[in-house]
Amino acid sequence: MASSISKLVVFITGTFISNNCWDEWMIYFESEGYKCIAPAWPYKEATAQELRNGPADGAISLNTITSLTDHFATLINALPKKPILIGHSLGGLIVQLLLQRGAGIAGVAIHSFPPQGVNRFWLSFLKVTWETMMLFTSGKKTYMISFRKWKYAIANAMTYEQQKQSYYSYAIPESKKIIRDTFKCKTKIDFKNPHPPLLLTSGSNDKVVPASMNYDNYKRYKHSSSITDYKEFEGHTHLIFALSSWNKEADFILYWLHGIRN
């Protein structure tokens, strides 16, 4: 299996972030011989600025975790061969769900949003997700993360100018249903089942998904014959794309992929 692993990569974006976040990663991976695609989520094909200026009751609000996972499964099934799946945040959770369906040959979950069963009772995690769920508001309208929340949770440990630039470049509105769905059984993983090789990464300064939560996610996998690996990156925050050290995670992922190929 290892020597024949695909060099086709599908990058899967997380919540509140435009898929242009993968631009540098795609160039980097393609320089190493990989073919890459980073499809936008449904109804998110426009630029970050255009999406921010769109109506709050736009089609983005229709997205659910099930429809999103089905969307990527359909897209992947149409490819000429099974790809490597690399997802960030909620995109990492989607990678875990897709691998459970057998949709990828290997997967990388970068600072992955936890599936059901992983301990979520971490103050910083609850502080971020409680507001974004907007439980007492209509699910027919999207939620746009504020710059204040972006600075605190997504782009912490950066300069103000870096925070402002990253918000302008990446921040987009999100479906409230998506976040609400992640607290339901729709994100259940059968951790005892065999699965393709999976790497989970975390950042020590991540306020959205703390490293300890990522580690708990990793430790849940029980199938002894399946490859499951974990790596924590010192100083990394949730928004890995805006860090000058983003290539440290990219390099380790490439190293890991090379390892499972040989």
Side-chain angles (χ1 to χ4, degrees), residues 60-220:
I60 290 174
S61 65
L62 300 174
N63 284 333
T64 66
I65 193 69
T66 300
S67 68
L68 194 56
T69 307
D70 288 345
H71 168 79
F72 278 101
T74 300
L75 183 152
I76 290 163
N77 288 337
L79 296 174
K81 55 185 176 180
K82 284 188 178 182
I84 298 162
L85 307 177
I86 301 178
H88 172 255
S89 191
L90 193 101
L93 173 56
I94 292 171
V95 166
Q96 292 181 253
L97 293 169
L98 288 171
L99 288 185
Q100 183 168 249
R101 297 187 185 189
I105 197 70
V108 181
I110 302 171
H111 305 215
S112 185
F113 202 96
Q116 187 188 45
V118 173
N119 181 14
R120 298 172 176 179
F121 293 99
W122 296 92
L123 183 59
S124 61
F125 174 75
L126 293 173
K127 188 174 181 179
V128 173
T129 54
W130 178 259
E131 179 180 318
T132 58
M133 284 192 291
M134 301 286 285
L135 289 175
F136 304 109
T137 64
S138 172
K140 295 180 180 179
K141 292 188 177 182
T142 58
Y143 171 85
M144 181 63 206
I145 189 169
S146 67
F147 182 54
R148 174 187 60 82
K149 181 67 70 175
W150 182 272
K151 289 191 300 177
Y152 165 78
I154 306 291
N156 57 300
M158 297 180 188
T159 67
Y160 177 78
E161 286 303 317
Q162 288 172 327
Q163 292 170 330
K164 186 169 65 174
Q165 181 58 47
S166 65
Y167 187 81
Y168 178 79
S169 299
Y170 302 134
I172 59 175
E174 194 50 79
S175 165
K176 298 172 190 174
K177 299 184 183 78
I178 290 283
I179 305 299
R180 294 172 186 177
D181 281 351
T182 59
F183 285 85
K184 301 175 183 177
C185 61
K186 298 174 183 180
T187 63
K188 186 175 181 179
I189 299 290
D190 192 335
F191 293 103
K192 295 181 180 179
N193 278 354
H195 60 81
L198 172 64
L199 169 68
L200 294 101
T201 73
S202 68
S204 65
N205 282 348
D206 192 328
K207 286 189 175 181
V208 179
V209 187
S212 51
M213 186 178 290
N214 280 128
Y215 186 72
D216 186 22
N217 192 354
Y218 156 70
K219 291 294 288 183
R220 297 280 170 161

